[in-house]
Amino acid sequence: MLTAISTVLGMMPIAPTIFWGPMSYAIMGGLLVATVLTLIFLPALYVAWFRVKETPGGVPAQTPRHMAAT
């Protein structure tokens, strides 16, 4: 996350230029969207797909079958 943010901040000075502007906007948008997808969407998708439930102690109530010890 820190790398993505530093890259977005590093692209800001060249964003208004005619030559490099479109590329910098594409890089900034792609990094921000990918970061949001990775940090929010994928964990939510995992919880929904494997039906992980949280107990009051904060530990998952069940271990998904593919992760259970054999």
Side-chain angles (χ1 to χ4, degrees), residues 1-39:
M1 186 166 123
L2 188 60
T3 306
I5 291 172
S6 66
T7 304
V8 168
L9 292 175
M11 290 285 171
M12 282 185 175
I14 63 169
T17 63
I18 298 296
F19 188 71
W20 297 108
M23 181 193 68
S24 67
Y25 284 121
I27 291 172
M28 288 189 296
L31 281 172
L32 289 175
V33 168
T35 302
V36 168
L37 284 175
T38 303
L39 294 177

